[in-house]
Amino acid sequence: MQVKDRVLDALEARRGTYLSGQALAEKLQVSRSAVWKAIEQLREKGYPIQAVPHRGYCLAPDSPILSAQSIAHWLKTPGLTLEVRGEVTSTNTLLRQRAEEGGAEGYVLVATAQTQGRGRRDHQFYSPPDSGLYLSILVRPDLAARDALLLTTCAAASVALAIEDCAGVPAQIKWVNDIFCREKKVCGILTEAALDLETGGLQYAIVGIGVNLFPPEGGFPRNLPQAGAVFAARPQGLEARSRLAGAILDHFFTFYPHLTQRPFFQDYRSRSLVLGREITVLEGGTTRPALALDLEEDFSLRVREADGTVRSLSSGEVRVKPREN
């Protein structure tokens, strides 16, 4: 790890507090000159580091820079490897490459923008710079392929809880993988996996999460009428992005060791956007109306169709009829 990264680690750990150059040098076992050079390098990257004679250096508590250190400041889960990049093609695509190369479970790739962000059914996921949070998690669960939906629902519950923790706004889940705030979609989740043909289980899985933190400059494109954001306007400072990333990961990895026990079922069900509402089921290239009745223990959706037939959906997509004013 370079000196500037170690200095940033120390400043993030004591964000808002002054650390003297001498204390940093002794802690990191480098010269004070090396500390000064590292501070200048960090400032060139945009980090708001204040320097006061006889007090030392201080990273502003509302630093807007997204980094592995800024996320780690809010993270309680040990053992994760965080990598933060600026603009990427797709965090899922890049992390899948790492998985194929033998990357370890718990690797998390975070980006501030994507040029080829993807959703389910090869839909494009709008990922503009600066206003969103885009991350992918590499896991290697002992999980049968038929239970892979548990990863998506675990992530959905984790994101909803994190949004409520960090933004104080209610979050709802549209079956099976979208998060809504104020009746607008603020997050999409895409889980991709590789199958172990010998065991019938998963070799690895990539859980991709894209969150609209606040509206982009100029607003969302007209062809995305459902798009919304966690915050109605850009928050003061952007430490909210680092805090949200940390909260998502903490909730996810609290649930993850117990996936098959479904400890997140009630968190997911209680935040359902669809239960009790009229929906349109999209399945096999056809659409049909239905009423969403309940969620089964395996997270399939029980619906009553127009002819009175009650059935459970384990795949497909649903649209929710807007509420009447």
Side-chain angles (χ1 to χ4, degrees), residues 150-173:
L150 293 175
L151 287 166
T152 300
T153 51
C154 175
S158 299
V159 173
L161 289 166
I163 287 173
E164 293 175 1
D165 290 345
C166 300
V169 297
Q172 293 183 289
I173 303 170

Side-chain angles (χ1 to χ4, degrees), residues 11 15 25 53 60 82 128 185 192 199 232 248-249 258 276 303 307 312 320:
L11 293 176
R15 183 187 282 229
L82 303 175
K185 179 179 173 179
E192 300 178 295
T199 66
I248 290 172
L249 294 172
H258 316 287
V303 302
D307 63 0
S312 291
V320 184

Side-chain angles (χ1 to χ4, degrees), residues 189-263:
I189 297 166
L190 176 64
T191 301
E192 300 178 295
L195 182 65
D196 187 325
L197 296 178
E198 292 185 2
T199 66
L202 300 185
Q203 186 182 85
Y204 66 80
I206 308 297
V207 182
I209 299 169
V211 184
N212 301 328
L213 199 62
F214 56 89
E217 187 175 351
F220 290 101
R222 290 184 178 180
N223 65 338
L224 297 175
Q226 276 197 315
V230 173
F231 294 96
R234 185 186 184 103
Q236 190 73 22
L238 275 182
E239 74 279 2
R241 183 163 53 183
S242 299
R243 183 184 175 195
L244 182 63
I248 290 172
L249 294 172
D250 279 336
H251 281 297
F252 182 85
F253 281 102
T254 296
F255 294 138
Y256 175 70
H258 316 287
L259 271 180
T260 55
Q261 283 75 53
R262 302 165 174 81

Side-chain angles (χ1 to χ4, degrees), residues 66 110-113 127-134 210-214 241:
L66 183 68
V110 186
T112 58
S127 312
D130 187 42
S131 62
L133 172 68
Y134 317 105
V211 184
N212 301 328
L213 199 62
F214 56 89
R241 183 163 53 183

